[in-house]
Amino acid sequence: MTDPAYIEPPPSVEVDVVIIGGGPAGLSAALNLGRARASVVLVDAGRPRNAATLRSHGFLTRDGIPPLELRKLARAELSAYPDVNVLDRTVVTALMPTDSTNGMRFIAALQGRGERTPPAVAARSVLIATGLRETLPSIPSLRAFYGMTIFSCAACDAWELQDRPLALIGETPDLAARARLIARWTDRLTVFTNGVDVIDTVEEAELAASGIVVDRRPIDDLEGDRGAVTAVRLADGGRVEIEGGFVRPQWHPALDFVNGLGLERDEFGNLVADRSGRTSVPGLYAAGDAASPGPQQLIVAAGQGARSAAVLVHDLVGVRTAH
Ligand SMILES: Cc1cc2nc3c(=O)[nH]c(=O)nc-3n(C[C@H](O)[C@H](O)[C@H](O)COP(=O)(O)OP(=O)(O)OC[C@H]3O[C@@H](n4cnc5c(N)ncnc54)[C@H](O)[C@@H]3O)c2cc1C
């Protein structure tokens, strides 16, 4: 029977910084914090959002690199810094404030597969770099083409699709704006609203003036083979041939574990942070796609991670920065 006077011992692991999320934002922060002689535990569930794609584009010196290769290279670099430890396939299930006297301000509860995963880590500061989750429109075969010939980020993947007949599929009010952007890369673009009323008649006329077709019919499915999409099949039996395209997912921050901390969120649920990544809770920082909306790109996330690391180091020693 458990002794009622028993008090859970404090977590045995205490560090300067816990980084939650091992994508480019978290990895870049870990590298820079390691170089600043901070003790770091990086906790990563290992489910990168871009795992669906074979090649990542637009990362200086690494244009076209497979996403997992980029992570592998970053992880190899971290191994040079003994105070940076990585907990793989481990999830932070809860993040709690603590008022311990030794400067530890947060406790991160962990759930990992390895026997050596500690139950929790205490930290002076925390960087949240958990990225986003996405929900795609409900089209049966969409996932089979996603990351192969259907993408979500024009800056990342439109170059490879340029001058082809393309689809843009989405159910959100920003669809017309996205269509105008994608039209930079092709003059054969059809926008599919999947039966949802998200493009008004004024927008439709503007798009038509640029040669962009709006198709409001519900979608039955996509056709194609081995990731190569060939057509959008409509519920009324119609069929529009394409050779690639874009989808507008709904994005949700992966932040269930911060409930109860009173962190300020924006209208999309993202963490509100200043440009250096400081959130509304002292000692808690955010970087990458989990922070307020901006370009969702690997190099941007990595840059934000580096910037947060620099500010975090100054804050840890109480030195004001110009950032
Ligand atoms: C299909 C696709 C293709 C893309 N192609 C490109 C491209 O070509 N070029 C480009 O620049 N960008 C591309 N992107 C965008 C890019 O992937 C993101 O902008 C980038 O990965 C964001 O980095 P991040 O570090 O913020 O988050 P992520 O890379 O999403 O990493 C977050 C990490 O946190 C982990 N995590 C989440 N919750 C927890 C938790 N509670 N505990 C522990 N770990 C947790 C996740 O498992 C994940 O490993 C693409 C995105 C998609 C979906």
Side-chain angles (χ1 to χ4, degrees), residues 198-248:
V198 284
I199 292 184
D200 64 31
T201 48
V202 175
E203 288 174 321
E204 184 168 0
E206 282 170 2
L207 294 177
S210 305
I212 302 167
V213 176
V214 175
D215 194 320
R216 297 176 181 277
R217 292 174 287 177
I219 296 172
D220 179 39
D221 205 357
L222 302 180
E223 295 178 4
D225 189 29
R226 287 181 224 172
V229 70
T230 52
V232 178
R233 195 171 65 232
L234 288 314
D236 67 1
R239 198 172 165 280
V240 177
E241 292 195 355
I242 56 167
E243 291 177 22
F246 290 87
V247 60
R248 164 59 159 99

Side-chain angles (χ1 to χ4, degrees), residues 20-26 43-50 52-53 55-57 71 90-92 129-132 134 146-147 152 156-157 254 257 287-290 296-299 301:
I20 310 175
V43 186
D44 186 34
R47 303 190 63 189
R49 187 160 70 88
N50 60 347
T53 194
R55 306 213 164 268
S56 299
H57 301 106
R71 284 187 171 215
T90 304
V91 176
V92 171
T130 45
L132 292 170
E134 49 193 16
Y146 190 50
S152 52
C156 305
D157 297 295
F257 60 92
D289 289 352
Q296 293 172 12
Q297 287 183 262
L298 298 159
I299 201 157

Side-chain angles (χ1 to χ4, degrees), residues 144-157:
F145 299 103
Y146 190 50
M148 305 290 282
T149 48
I150 303 274
F151 301 92
S152 52
C153 164
C156 305
D157 297 295

Side-chain angles (χ1 to χ4, degrees), residues 154-230:
C156 305
D157 297 295
W159 174 264
E160 281 67 32
L161 298 178
Q162 62 186 305
D163 297 326
R164 299 190 199 176
L166 300 182
L168 169 62
I169 301 168
E171 301 167 353
T172 54
D174 59 355
L175 206 60
R178 294 182 89 79
R180 285 168 58 195
L181 181 68
I182 291 164
R184 282 185 62 78
W185 287 275
T186 184
D187 54 10
R188 291 178 288 167
L189 177 63
T190 307
V191 184
F192 295 91
T193 63
N194 197 21
V196 182
D197 190 18
V198 284
I199 292 184
D200 64 31
T201 48
V202 175
E203 288 174 321
E204 184 168 0
E206 282 170 2
L207 294 177
S210 305
I212 302 167
V213 176
V214 175
D215 194 320
R216 297 176 181 277
R217 292 174 287 177
I219 296 172
D220 179 39
D221 205 357
L222 302 180
E223 295 178 4
D225 189 29
R226 287 181 224 172
V229 70
T230 52

Side-chain angles (χ1 to χ4, degrees), residues 10 29-30 33 61 107 111 114 133 139 155 163 167 169 174 177 215 236 244 254 304:
L33 286 166
T61 77
I107 293 182
Q111 197 171 66
R133 293 195 194 108
I139 298 168
D163 297 326
I169 301 168
D174 59 355
D215 194 320
D236 67 1
Q304 286 181 359

Side-chain angles (χ1 to χ4, degrees), residues 265-266 268 270-274 286 288-295 304:
R265 307 273 200 108
D266 68 14
F268 306 104
N270 295 69
L271 293 174
V272 172
D274 70 13
D289 289 352
S292 279
Q304 286 181 359

